[in-house]
């Protein structure tokens, strides 16, 4: 099934390639927020959600696992019994290959968003000390932009619930290094969600932060 997801940035969102001086929230293409970046954020978000809400989820019949690994060798070890739920759904982040993700995220065609330049002060990542005169500029999307995506998942209610969980947790986690976002989802349930899926879909139907 396919449903629509809207992401609104509450903080300014940095874009472009990572530099020595600063980290960005959305890697890759300039002037774009690709679906693959949202999918990566959903993957991290699901991992966090399982860590933070594991007990609550277990009470609802969801005993979930997340290996939390990115290195392919460690993933192999962590998956000796069976692949964790995060990797089963989003695939493994192995070198260049997506590792059979069951989730597809596509950015909707729309007008390009306006990009602004912010001047920032470089912080040395190792020493955490302000560098002398290390001013640099970063391109950002200003707060309040809405980006729309289509998310495709199977009709399995459990997989749909995990995808909704990853989207809800994005509100409490972050996009990239520091991006604060709100999330809204077109209700995908149409009578085929389980209890958790229905709860999540109801909460995601409206923006969390009122305008
Ligand atoms: Zn895993």
């Amino acid at each position: 099934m396919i449903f629509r997801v809207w992401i609104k940035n509450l903080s300014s969102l940095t874009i472009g390639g990572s530099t020595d001086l600063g980290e960005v929230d959305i890697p890759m293409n300039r002037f774009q927020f690709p679906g693959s970046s949202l999918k990566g954020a959903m993957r991290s978000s699901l991992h966090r959600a399982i860590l933070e809400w594991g007990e609550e989820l277990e009470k609802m019949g969801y005993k979930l696992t997340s290996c939390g690994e990115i290195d392919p060798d460690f993933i192999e070890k962590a998956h000796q019994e069976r692949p964790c739920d995060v990797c089963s759904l989003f695939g493994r982040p192995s070198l260049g290959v997506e590792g059979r993700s069951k989730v597809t995220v596509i950015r909707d065609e729309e007008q390009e968003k306006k990009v602004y330049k912010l001047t920032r002060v470089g912080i040395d990542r190792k020493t955490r000390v302000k560098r002398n005169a290390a001013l640099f500029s970063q391109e950002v999307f200003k707060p309040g932009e809405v980006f729309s995506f289509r998310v495709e998942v199977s009709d399995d209610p459990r997989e749909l619930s995990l995808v909704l969980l990853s989207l809800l947790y994005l509100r409490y986690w972050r996009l990239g290094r520091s991006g604060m976002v709100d999330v809204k989802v077109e209700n995908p349930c149409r009578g085929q969600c389980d209890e958790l899926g229905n709860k999540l879909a109801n909460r995601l139907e409206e923006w969390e932060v009122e305008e």
Side-chain angles (χ1 to χ4, degrees):
M1 73 166 65
I2 298 177
F3 58 94
R4 209 158 233 118
V5 172
W6 296 273
I7 302 288
K8 177 157 61 180
N9 53 319
L10 302 174
S11 60
S12 60
L13 218 48
T14 52
I15 53 177
S18 212
T19 69
D20 186 38
L21 290 174
E23 302 280 353
V24 293
D25 297 315
I26 306 175
M28 304 200 327
N29 320 8
R30 281 182 78 203
F31 308 123
Q32 275 189 41
F33 179 174
S36 55
S37 294
L38 176 57
K39 195 165 104 175
M42 288 163 67
R43 185 181 212 286
S44 310
S45 171
L46 181 60
H47 168 65
R48 285 309 299 187
I50 291 171
L51 283 186
E52 299 282 326
W53 292 346
E55 278 179 35
E56 299 297 310
L57 291 162
E58 206 169 330
K59 282 179 203 154
M60 300 189 77
Y62 276 79
K63 194 170 171 13
L64 299 171
T65 54
S66 171
C67 67
E69 303 288 359
I70 291 176
D71 183 299
D73 290 338
F74 285 109
I75 289 181
E76 264 341 300
K77 276 189 194 141
H79 288 185
Q80 266 175 359
E81 283 184 35
R82 68 179 188 92
C84 75
D85 290 296
V86 177
C87 293
S88 303
L89 189 62
F90 287 105
R92 299 184 194 187
S94 50
L95 301 164
V97 189
E98 277 204 301
R100 281 201 214 118
S101 171
K102 294 179 186 168
V103 183
T104 308
V105 182
I106 301 159
R107 168 87 192 274
D108 278 335
E109 296 285 330
E110 61 191 318
Q111 275 192 306
E112 267 181 11
K113 305 285 185 201
K114 198 161 178 223
V115 168
Y116 295 81
K117 276 204 168 165
L118 276 191
T119 301
R120 295 189 160 168
V121 179
I123 304 284
D124 190 297
R125 252 186 275 161
K126 290 199 186 91
T127 62
R128 296 276 164 203
V129 176
K130 233 191 276 179
R131 291 182 185 185
N132 280 341
L135 289 177
F136 68 106
S137 65
Q138 261 186 332
E139 287 173 318
V140 300
F141 292 120
K142 68 176 189 213
E145 294 281 15
V146 176
F147 304 86
S148 75
F149 299 86
R150 274 162 295 148
V151 174
E152 187 171 359
V153 279
S154 76
D155 290 334
D156 180 346
R158 188 181 158 90
E159 285 177 11
L160 179 56
S161 289
L162 292 187
V163 167
L164 292 172
L165 180 63
S166 76
L167 287 166
L168 181 73
Y169 203 81
L170 266 187
R171 285 175 172 173
Y172 307 106
W173 185 228
R174 58 183 187 214
L175 200 140
R177 286 268 146 185
S178 58
M180 301 273 297
V181 294
D182 200 352
V183 184
K184 193 166 97 164
V185 175
E186 172 189 18
N187 194 324
C189 287
R190 295 170 211 121
Q192 48 189 327
C193 281
D194 59 12
E195 189 193 347
L196 176 63
N198 275 317
K199 264 192 187 171
L200 295 167
N202 286 339
R203 283 189 58 182
L204 283 161
E205 253 180 335
E206 303 291 338
W207 295 116
E208 170 97 333
V209 179
E210 302 267 335
E211 292 183 53

